[in-house]
Amino acid sequence: MRRELDMQADRIEAVLASHKVTGRVAGGTVTTRYTRFELITPLGTRVGRVSALAEEIALALGAHTTRIFREGEKIQIEVARDAPTAPIDLVPLCARLSNIPPVTAVLGVDEEQTPLLLRLPSPDVTHVLIAGTTGSGKTALARVILASLAMHNRQGALQLVLIDPKGRGFGPLEGLPHLLQPLVAAIDEIPNVLANIVGEMERRDALARQLRRPVDMPRIVVAVDELADLVQTGGRAVEQALTRLAQRGREAGIHLICCTQKPTSAAVGGMLKANFPVRLVGSVTSPEEAKIATGLAGSGAEKLRGAGDFLLISKGLSVRFQAAWVNEPTLRRVADALRDGGRRSRRWGPQEARQIAGPERRNL
């Protein structure tokens, strides 16, 4: 392995030199999905000149793709590997964790196999936009987020509202006892549902002003699948309600988790998109779409390999991670366990994980 990595580093430097770009590979990281090389360049080197050589570097290394981006003082060159990636099963992953903060979702693992968590009440999070093409795993990631929230928060502290116009993405979550109401799929019902949530937000705001302190009420997580399609078919009333929740929901304890294949301002609405501090971006089709989805130039999201390969974008920084996975039979067992446990908080230890996960495993 060391010999192969040294050879690849030499080839990267040779490609750069042939295009009159000075650079030296100074180390890197090996994961199951990719090998990352850290490139040190002289002061004043344009990152764009290195990024423009992505295809030439991939050709020299015999790789399908390379993803090139800046991180700190170094340029990172990620080279895709052909080795299959083992699935990250949600329930056993949760069994490894202890003392998860309230209203905190489990996303998966980062490049060092460290569990990655997302605390919704944090001012830097609040609402989450999940973007990616078909096959990127965005709906599967949304299921993981919602299931992990239900697993670690009692019903009296967390309530879920699922809006799924196609009725397929969130269908496996219908058995969770945290649902405030049955899954909402009918287009003509969605405006009223959102209006009721806006009304609840205003009621909580008014009560907080009256009491002159924050009101301790259950957090409400509103999950929307295919956001762009919903905005287009639901019209102005749906967009206005979602925008108001995005702008003012945090103080009232209301959070949005929205999935979309089309994260453009034209499809989603600039005001709505601007209120998602955290983006979870899977594979997209082009550099232009990657820039729109991540809000960053040169993120390389178009080079992601799909099937749960994601970037977490927050405050201009990105973290690549492998999303966890939970299949439908396991979701049903989780829902059954939560209903049997009632309002009591459940500890997901190794023994419970084996009982819940069962023998069924499946790749993303």
Side-chain angles (χ1 to χ4, degrees), residues 15-162:
V15 170
L16 295 174
S18 69
H19 289 83
K20 296 182 172 55
V21 177
T22 303
R24 177 175 61 87
V25 174
T29 304
V30 178
T31 76
T32 55
R33 279 191 180 270
Y34 59 84
T35 301
R36 177 185 291 181
F37 296 93
E38 294 182 348
L39 184 69
I40 297 178
T41 56
L43 183 67
T45 301
R46 294 178 58 189
V47 178
R49 289 191 65 193
V50 181
S51 299
L53 299 175
E55 289 301 312
E56 286 77 5
I57 293 173
L59 180 63
L61 299 180
H64 292 297
T65 61
T66 59
R67 174 176 170 254
I68 300 176
F69 60 99
R70 182 185 67 84
E71 187 175 86
E73 299 176 349
K74 298 177 182 177
I75 296 175
Q76 308 291 329
I77 301 176
E78 285 183 354
V79 182
R81 300 181 65 197
D82 293 328
T85 301
I88 308 297
D89 290 335
L90 174 65
V91 175
L93 178 61
C94 289
R96 292 168 48 190
L97 305 173
S98 61
N99 300 321
I100 294 180
V103 199
T104 297
V106 178
L107 299 182
V109 296
D110 65 12
E111 61 190 23
E112 297 178 352
Q113 298 299 298
T114 301
L116 192 61
L117 307 181
L118 194 66
R119 184 172 178 268
L120 292 183
S122 170
D124 294 331
V125 181
T126 307
H127 309 301
V128 180
L129 184 67
I130 307 175
T133 61
T134 299
S136 63
K138 64 180 182 302
T139 301
L141 176 55
R143 291 179 187 172
V144 162
I145 290 172
L146 296 168
S148 64
L149 286 170
M151 289 166 66
H152 296 102
N153 293 272
R154 58 187 180 85
Q155 295 166 246
L158 174 75
Q159 296 174 334
L160 303 176
V161 176
L162 306 181

Side-chain angles (χ1 to χ4, degrees), residues 207-219:
L207 183 57
R209 287 194 299 270
Q210 179 181 348
L211 298 176
R212 298 183 181 181
R213 59 175 175 79
V215 181
D216 185 15
M217 292 185 178
R219 296 274 174 172

Side-chain angles (χ1 to χ4, degrees), residues 134 138-140 142-143 162-174 183-186 224-226 229 259 261 328 331:
T134 299
K138 64 180 182 302
T139 301
R143 291 179 187 172
L162 306 181
I163 298 176
D164 182 2
K166 294 183 180 179
R168 298 192 300 267
F170 295 154
L173 298 167
E174 283 191 281
L183 182 144
V184 185
V224 178
D225 199 18
E226 301 300 344
D229 291 343
C259 304
Q261 291 188 51
E328 294 187 19
L331 273 177

Side-chain angles (χ1 to χ4, degrees), residues 1-21:
M1 171 63 84
R2 180 57 185 266
R3 184 177 179 182
E4 179 184 352
L5 293 174
D6 288 341
M7 181 183 68
Q8 289 179 321
D10 290 342
R11 288 185 176 179
I12 291 173
E13 292 176 357
V15 170
L16 295 174
S18 69
H19 289 83
K20 296 182 172 55
V21 177

Side-chain angles (χ1 to χ4, degrees), residues 120-127 201 205 219 244-255:
L120 292 183
S122 170
D124 294 331
V125 181
T126 307
H127 309 301
M201 177 184 71
D205 286 345
R219 296 274 174 172
R244 293 188 66 189
L245 290 172
Q247 290 175 324
R248 296 175 48 196
R250 184 176 71 87
E251 291 79 6
I254 298 175
H255 308 278

